Amino acid sequence: MCGIVAYIGERQALPILINGLKRLEYRGYDSAGVSIWNKKTKVYKRKGKVADLEAFIGNDDLTGNIGIGHTRWATHGEPNDVNAHPHMSMNGKFTIIHNGIIENYSRLRDKLTSFGVTFKSETDTEVLANLIEYIYEKGAVDAELAVRLALSKVIGAYGLVIICSDEPDKLIAARKGSPLVIGVGNEEYFLASDATPIVEYTKSVIYLNDGDVAVITKDQLTLKTDHNKSQTPIIQELNIDIGEIDKGGYEHFMLKEIFEQPRSINDTFRGRVKTENDKIHLGGLYEVMPKLIEAKRILIIACGTSWHAGLVGEYLFEDLARIPVEVEYASEFRYRNPIINKDDVVIAISQSGETADTLAAIQLAKEKGALVLGICNVVGSSIPRETHAGVYTHAGPEIGVASTKAFTCQVTVLAMMAITIGRSKELISDSSYQNLIKEFNLIPEKIEEILQNSLIIKEAAELYKDSTNSLYLGRGYLFPVALEGALKLKEISYIHAEGYPAAEMKHGPIALIDEKMPVVVVATKDSSYEKIVSNVQEVKARNGKIIAVVTKGDTVIRKMADHVFEIPETNPVFSALLSVIPLQLFSYYIAVMRGCNVDQPRNLAKSVTVE
Ligand code: F6R
């Protein structure tokens, strides 16, 4: 959840760290800090944004070619200057930045306290810094050994980078459960928790594996396992462009990412869905496809927006491939004793590929012998490495904390999978297949059409920006869209919003409806249309304000609704891909009008690497 950046080489470290922290701020943003080595270790850290840290540093001399930086999302200890990273050990020998959680920190802290160690902060990270120093001062031959011995006593997860003042020509990095990427330059190395701060300097990267410990000088990198076995670093090429991690002229990343969806869905299609061909090519699933086709049940595990995409997947797999599906919150699944049979296939969905609960659920499913597949956006992240096979979404970097293009690309992949299975099982005839593919290929341009009409959505947002509550309703494929619309609104505008299957409204939420309650109804033309028309009437009869997402040309709901957002007609199996777009825009405009920090909503972080 926090962001790590570090540099060693010939350049000045500070600008690289500050720039990197700004790129990483979407991962966590309650405090930030840097430490630079130049004859001694200097630490500057501050509660607030990276800009607050920059102001705090001012014109102070922080020259130096080795440095570490961190942007924090608080787990242990409130966000304040003292709890911000980097943390220095009591005698100043070790300075550390850390992502993850040291679960046994309290016991370690008590023990170190009994040995006379004192602490300044409430963090688990400072405990680790002091544990390393304690072991070092007790006679470990060098800093690396002290780090290894300390890590062997730690329970929990970490991605960390350390400077030792006795060996100031090197950085020591280690990973277990929290990602770390090393950028390889010319006599220089960059480290970060994801590739975004690195891409502008080098495209050659090494993803650390769990248990790896790296010792890095400006011209050498030594990589070993936690059992001290030497490893040959595998250098990979990043295929991210610097333009993809800039706002590209948009006011916010979220708006840019909403508008990128025609492109990102096309990228997800590219090379996979071809009109002239009678097959969808999902190379990553090639070897496991027979098992997927034979699956007796599919279990989808995910969190948040990815879980909503999973719910759309449930409808898709059941409709098109006739496979029963259960969609599970990863955080619930992993703490139950779930029943997984040998003919079940588990699909984990994650934008970041680092969500701790999803990763733990994958481990559990693997232990129970399941075939586990991943649908993931971030190349080289932990989930694609932990799953047996999978499909990348190719949405491109998603920087806005609220997920938008990742959702539509996840649904795109799920639709491709469901169609492939349905086709292989001969459940989809040639002509239906051709129609589906034709319609599927039109989705990007239909999204473009919706985006061109964003002004209508903006005008409606103006009227509802001061609401305190709202209800989102949908049925069938559009029920997960209602959930997703409600999540978008609450997370970025802090307006309370609930998503419901429309018919469930009568079992409780209807009591909330009065003339002040905006009710967003996702009611495009499909087999439930008549039913949802009745639900709209029920809202109308109680004077609720109706904002409806409807199919272009709809006249029935238009008469009842206070506002309609039209979307082009499509096959209902793809309706989630279109109907979610107006809801993303509606939330975005409301949040901007309320003066909220759209890209970095309070208390949230882009990748949730703690449980
Ligand atoms: C909401 C949002 C979160 C994520 C969730 C899972 O807009 O972004 O709900 O969807 O934290 O994250 P991933 O997909 O990275 O596993």
Side-chain angles (χ1 to χ4, degrees):
M1 326 232 347
C2 313
I4 278 182
V5 61
Y7 176 76
I8 183 163
E10 293 290 347
R11 309 187 207 207
Q12 284 302 314
L14 185 64
I16 295 172
L17 299 184
I18 294 291
N19 196 18
L21 290 180
K22 285 182 179 161
R23 296 229 183 266
L24 286 172
E25 215 169 17
Y26 72 103
R27 293 177 70 101
Y29 32 81
D30 60 44
S31 49
V34 290
S35 174
I36 305 275
W37 165 263
N38 191 354
K39 299 198 185 75
K40 61 179 186 159
T41 320
K42 289 187 185 169
V43 176
Y44 278 69
K45 49 191 193 170
R46 210 67 181 160
K47 180 180 171 185
K49 304 272 187 195
V50 179
D52 298 308
L53 172 68
E54 260 185 307
F56 176 56
I57 295 171
N59 294 324
D60 289 7
D61 178 20
L62 263 187
T63 51
N65 315 110
I66 302 177
I68 57 181
H70 190 268
T71 172
R72 178 171 186 248
W73 186 88
T75 56
H76 291 70
E78 62 168 291
N80 60 26
D81 295 350
V82 178
N83 288 335
H85 295 218
H87 287 281
M88 197 181 258
S89 56
M90 184 175 77
N91 298 326
K93 289 232 172 336
F94 290 87
T95 310
I96 174 169
I97 48 174
H98 164 226
N99 285 357
I101 292 184
I102 308 300
E103 286 167 18
N104 56 339
Y105 89 103
S106 169
R107 210 152 28 87
L108 292 170
R109 186 179 169 125
D110 289 349
K111 213 161 189 171
L112 288 166
T113 307
S114 73
F115 298 147
V117 176
T118 55
F119 296 86
K120 294 193 192 80
S121 77
E122 301 154 82
T123 65
D124 51 346
T125 306
E126 192 190 3
V127 174
L128 185 54
N130 277 316
L131 178 64
I132 297 169
E133 184 175 82
Y134 180 78
I135 293 172
Y136 182 73
E137 290 183 340
K138 279 277 166 239
V141 287
D142 59 15
E144 182 192 345
L145 183 64
V147 170
R148 284 182 177 286
L149 291 173
L151 292 180
S152 72
K153 300 197 181 318
V154 152
I155 300 169
Y158 49 79
L160 51 87
V161 189
I162 298 168
I163 297 177
C164 173
S165 59
D166 286 349
E167 301 173 29
D169 60 335
K170 63 179 68 142
L171 296 171
I172 301 174
R175 172 203 160 130
K176 187 177 158 212
S178 194
L180 265 189
V181 192
I182 301 177
V184 184
N186 189 10
E187 302 217 327
E188 60 181 353
Y189 290 94
F190 306 81
L191 288 97
S193 37
D194 68 47
T196 43
I198 293 178
V199 65
E200 58 203 277
Y201 306 106
T202 175
K203 293 209 167 174
S204 304
V205 295
I206 299 161
Y207 293 99
L208 291 197
N209 287 316
D210 267 354
D212 281 354
V213 178
V215 178
I216 306 163
T217 61
K218 76 180 167 60
D219 39 27
Q220 197 183 3
L221 174 132
T222 319
L223 192 62
K224 292 186 192 157
T225 66
D226 43 358
H227 295 108
N228 212 10
K229 202 167 151 253
S230 287
Q231 301 267 85
T232 311
I234 299 169
I235 300 183
Q236 304 185 25
E237 278 299 290
L238 281 176
N239 66 352
I240 308 174
D241 260 353
I242 184 75
E244 291 182 75
I245 53 173
D246 282 334
K247 285 191 197 142
Y250 286 89
E251 201 184 336
H252 297 100
F253 279 109
M254 183 179 176
L255 190 62
K256 176 186 176 224
E257 288 157 7
I258 292 173
F259 273 79
E260 267 175 355
Q261 288 174 105
R263 200 242 345 116
S264 59
I265 292 177
N266 263 326
D267 286 351
T268 307
F269 279 155
R270 188 158 301 133
R272 292 167 167 166
V273 183
K274 296 183 183 151
T275 15
E276 71 279 9
N277 206 318
D278 70 344
K279 271 205 176 90
I280 294 177
H281 294 276
L282 294 170
L285 298 182
Y286 185 73
E287 288 187 2
V288 297
M289 200 41 93
K291 178 126 202 230
L292 194 49
I293 291 163
E294 294 302 315
K296 293 273 177 293
R297 187 175 63 140
I298 290 175
L299 287 157
I300 297 180
I301 47 179
C303 302
T305 288
S306 298
W307 185 82
H308 296 156
L311 279 184
V312 180
E314 175 177 16
Y315 290 89
L316 287 165
F317 284 120
E318 294 190 352
D319 249 8
L320 300 169
R322 303 304 297 142
I323 303 176
V325 179
E326 282 169 36
V327 188
E328 303 266 3
Y329 284 117
S331 54
E332 288 297 313
F333 178 83
R334 60 177 289 207
Y335 289 114
R336 290 210 315 272
N337 187 10
I339 297 163
I340 303 174
N341 302 310
K342 70 175 179 19
D343 297 323
D344 292 342
V345 172
V346 174
I347 302 176
I349 307 177
S350 174
Q351 187 287 128
S352 63
E354 302 295 347
T355 301
D357 281 320
T358 309
L359 268 165
I362 290 170
Q363 290 301 350
L364 177 67
K366 278 169 53 183
E367 279 160 27
K368 289 185 175 274
L371 170 69
V372 186
L373 310 179
I375 297 176
C376 193
N377 193 37
V378 178
V379 176
S381 57
S382 302
I383 288 177
R385 284 163 343 127
E386 289 299 323
T387 43
H388 295 116
V391 184
Y392 280 117
T393 46
H394 299 317
E398 194 181 62
I399 311 280
V401 164
S403 192
T404 51
K405 63 177 180 171
F407 172 81
T408 44
C409 289
Q410 288 163 347
V411 172
T412 300
V413 169
L414 289 161
M416 290 195 284
M417 288 173 73
I419 294 171
T420 306
I421 301 169
R423 181 83 172 135
S424 303
K425 291 170 87 172
E426 296 182 4
L427 297 167
I428 302 175
S429 68
D430 286 354
S431 63
S432 310
Y433 178 78
Q434 289 308 333
N435 286 339
L436 277 171
I437 295 301
K438 195 165 150 235
E439 195 49 50
F440 210 174
N441 272 298
L442 289 173
I443 293 295
E445 65 190 68
K446 290 186 176 178
I447 294 180
E448 199 72 68
E449 191 182 326
I450 301 168
L451 293 170
Q452 276 164 16
N453 291 322
S454 59
L455 196 60
I456 296 169
I457 301 169
K458 195 173 180 179
E459 282 165 6
E462 181 68 50
L463 301 174
Y464 295 97
K465 67 177 194 310
D466 298 320
S467 312
T468 47
N469 289 295
S470 61
L471 209 53
Y472 281 67
L473 305 175
R475 298 179 85 117
Y477 283 103
L478 305 176
F479 160 53
V481 174
L483 292 178
E484 177 58 9
L487 177 60
K488 286 291 90 82
L489 186 70
K490 64 187 143 196
E491 68 182 334
I492 61 169
S493 72
Y494 319 138
I495 295 175
H496 175 239
E498 293 288 340
Y500 266 92
E504 271 297 302
M505 180 184 63
K506 289 195 280 299
H507 300 280
I510 200 164
L512 295 168
I513 295 175
D514 60 17
E515 65 288 350
K516 287 200 218 74
M517 178 66 122
V519 182
V520 179
V521 190
V522 196
T524 57
K525 290 263 171 60
D526 63 12
S527 56
S528 320
Y529 180 74
E530 300 302 331
K531 302 275 174 214
I532 206 153
V533 167
S534 311
N535 300 135
V536 173
Q537 268 155 349
E538 288 153 11
V539 176
K540 191 82 196 153
R542 285 150 188 91
N543 298 322
K545 291 267 176 280
I546 299 162
I547 301 147
V549 178
V550 297
T551 306
K552 207 155 96 184
D554 182 301
T555 49
V556 179
I557 293 184
R558 180 175 281 277
K559 281 199 199 106
M560 292 184 272
D562 297 272
H563 306 273
V564 291
F565 304 150
E566 285 192 331
I567 63 169
E569 191 169 354
T570 187
N571 185 317
V573 300
F574 304 124
S575 55
L577 291 170
L578 301 187
S579 53
V580 76
I581 309 289
L583 303 189
Q584 294 171 344
L585 285 167
F586 188 57
S587 311
Y588 170 79
Y589 290 126
I590 287 186
V592 172
M593 287 165 191
R594 288 166 70 91
C596 299
N597 186 339
V598 173
D599 283 334
Q600 294 169 358
R602 70 183 178 211
N603 303 337
L604 294 177
K606 186 64 184 164
S607 64
V608 183
T609 53
V610 295
E611 300 171 3

